[in-house]
Amino acid sequence: MQPWESPLFFICYFQAWFLAKGVDAMSHQALYRKWRPITFDDVVGQEHITAALRAQVEAGRLSHAYLFTGTRGTGKTTCAKILARAANCLHPVGGNPCNQCENCRAVLEDSAVDVTEIDAASNNGVDNIREIREEVNYAPAALKMRTYIIDEVHMLSTGAFNALLKTLEEPPEHVLFILATTEIHKVPATILSRCQRYDFRRIGPEVIRDRLLHIAGAEGIPLAPDAALLLARLGDGSMRDAISLLDRCVAGDRAIDLAHVHQCLGIAENDKVMGLFQAIRQGDAAAALSSFYDCYQQGQDIVSLFDELLSLIRDLYVVQSVKDPSAALEGSFFTLDELRQAAQGAEPGLLEFCVNTISETLARLTRSAIRRADAEMCLIRL
């Protein structure tokens, strides 16, 4: 009998096949990680920062400490990692790291002992910073500079900040600190004054949309432009959040259109949110409850539904208060004509009452065991 005719051979063969398939399934990388920029030129929406950093790298005028601040998902940690590679790159190209030399490869593969990334949320004690103070006295082992990336730096304790301050005051020439935070107001002024500060802006919906369409095209994902714009608006200025939402909507070869995005993310369609508001404005409790029941049956999240309703009321406030509301409505899910039509006959007193009532309900929904009842009582009150 030949080896392949043995039952044991087939058992081993299929075990190996299933194992390979399992490894392949587990090797999937999230889109936001796969498409993380590796040069300053790849970073979108923060050109005012990347241009300055490129110029400093190219001129060899790097500061000893940088502070990156801004909302989540706008590129702070990404730029910190790019800057760490550019500062140590053997052959920088126009201020960008080449990502090919041994120094760049070591940093990309997280094997460079001279580049340390610290999460201040879990390493916020004075002892953690004292370890850094001791390390900075030694020359780099392999790279040009010892680089420390401290993420969420505002989480450091008072003692840790004081210990870090001493190092920032008199840093060795071979040390580079890159601090990142989402809450700049929690960082002591003594730290701020010793760092070059860069404020990362929220990224515009159109910029995020174009990036999503680029990623989808490269990945072979059939993404409709209007669906990409909706994902961009849901990202609320965060590129990472928008790409993560796109990842959630991917379902084989199925086209990603507006209906598919609403279904995957559990959000209500514009006409349903507008219909719910119109029922409230007209005092029609039956119509409001009927609209809510339709959304509820379709599995849409109650908190998200009321968030969208509150967002619509905010937009109506803006339309009634501002002569040219285009800039303030950049992230709105509704067109300016739709909002102006809905704002007609909507009394400011009603809008204010809606805001207060919905806000109270949203605060209660987070700890309620009967969300549907709370939501229905809110609509009847409105």
Side-chain angles (χ1 to χ4, degrees):
M1 183 175 62
Q2 299 296 330
W4 55 84
E5 296 176 347
S6 168
L8 183 61
F9 173 84
F10 285 99
I11 293 175
C12 294
Y13 173 81
F14 283 109
Q15 282 181 339
W17 185 83
F18 282 117
L19 180 61
K21 287 294 182 182
V23 170
D24 183 62
M26 292 296 290
S27 65
H28 170 73
Q29 191 176 28
L31 286 179
Y32 81 88
R33 292 184 60 198
K34 184 176 181 181
W35 287 91
R36 168 172 275 178
I38 59 174
T39 67
F40 290 123
D41 293 340
D42 296 335
V43 179
V44 296
Q46 309 295 348
E47 287 77 12
H48 62 295
I49 294 176
T50 55
L53 294 177
R54 270 202 319 267
Q56 291 189 19
V57 172
E58 197 167 13
R61 295 186 295 101
L62 287 176
S63 174
H64 68 280
Y66 292 85
L67 178 64
F68 295 163
T69 178
T71 188
R72 70 189 189 282
T74 50
K76 299 184 300 297
T77 306
T78 294
C79 284
K81 292 183 175 182
I82 296 173
L83 181 58
R85 289 197 303 276
N88 290 286
C89 182
L90 298 176
H91 312 290
V93 182
N96 284 302
C98 70
N99 294 316
Q100 300 296 326
C101 68
E102 56 183 304
N103 287 5
C104 286
R105 299 308 304 176
V107 180
L108 280 172
E109 296 166 4
D110 294 326
S111 60
V113 295
D114 294 320
V115 176
T116 305
E117 187 173 356
I118 302 169
D119 177 19
S122 54
N123 299 278
N124 57 3
V126 65
D127 291 337
N128 301 113
I129 302 302
R130 281 175 179 164
E131 290 178 7
I132 295 177
R133 287 180 55 182
E134 294 175 1
E135 289 178 3
V136 297
N137 294 319
Y138 299 99
L143 305 183
K144 296 179 182 179
M145 307 183 73
R146 279 191 176 274
T147 307
Y148 294 91
I149 301 173
I150 306 180
D151 205 4
E152 301 300 339
V153 70
H154 65 271
M155 298 290 286
L156 290 179
S157 64
T158 302
F161 270 126
N162 291 334
L164 179 62
L165 179 62
K166 181 63 177 175
T167 305
L168 291 180
E169 282 179 337
E170 302 173 359
E173 293 183 357
H174 58 262
V175 174
L176 172 63
F177 283 95
I178 309 174
L179 316 180
T181 179
T182 54
E183 301 184 43
I184 189 67
H185 59 280
K186 293 184 180 180
V187 180
T190 50
I191 298 291
L192 295 176
S193 63
R194 288 165 174 81
C195 300
Q196 274 197 21
R197 173 176 167 176
Y198 290 93
D199 291 75
F200 285 70
R201 304 167 181 166
R202 289 182 182 272
I203 306 174
E206 288 76 16
V207 176
I208 298 179
R209 175 201 60 194
D210 294 342
R211 181 64 174 172
L212 292 179
L213 290 172
H214 172 74
I215 292 173
E219 292 285 331
I221 300 171
L223 175 63
D226 53 355
L229 184 58
L230 175 58
L231 291 172
R233 287 172 172 165
L234 290 171
D236 192 25
S238 169
M239 181 69 75
R240 182 179 63 232
D241 288 1
I243 296 175
S244 295
L245 291 174
L246 172 62
D247 214 353
R248 285 175 56 185
C249 294
V250 175
D253 296 330
R254 179 173 177 177
I256 300 177
D257 53 14
L258 280 176
H260 183 66
V261 172
H262 284 110
Q263 182 182 5
C264 285
L265 302 183
I267 58 177
E269 297 176 5
N270 284 2
D271 57 343
K272 293 182 179 179
V273 178
M274 185 64 77
L276 188 59
F277 173 76
Q278 295 292 3
I280 292 171
R281 187 175 65 83
Q282 296 165 8
D284 191 342
L289 291 176
S290 177
S291 297
F292 170 77
Y293 182 72
D294 289 341
C295 296
Y296 183 80
Q297 286 297 102
Q298 293 175 9
Q300 290 163 2
D301 183 64
I302 295 176
V303 174
S304 296
L305 177 62
F306 276 81
D307 276 338
E308 292 174 63
L309 183 58
L310 195 58
S311 178
L312 169 60
I313 294 171
R314 173 263 180 195
D315 293 344
L316 297 178
Y317 254 129
V318 171
V319 169
Q320 290 184 345
S321 306
V322 181
K323 185 175 181 180
D324 183 12
S326 302
L329 297 174
E330 186 181 45
S332 176
F333 300 125
F334 297 88
T335 65
L336 185 56
D337 290 339
E338 290 174 332
L339 293 173
R340 280 177 172 158
Q341 185 175 359
Q344 294 176 359
E347 296 295 331
L350 171 64
L351 296 180
E352 183 177 357
F353 177 72
C354 287
V355 168
N356 294 332
T357 305
I358 294 173
S359 298
E360 292 173 4
T361 302
L362 284 171
R364 190 164 59 249
L365 285 175
T366 58
R367 58 182 185 275
S368 174
I370 45 173
R371 290 186 171 188
R372 177 180 175 181
D374 283 336
E376 290 173 337
M377 291 303 101
C378 173
L379 291 175
I380 291 174
R381 285 182 63 194
L382 294 175

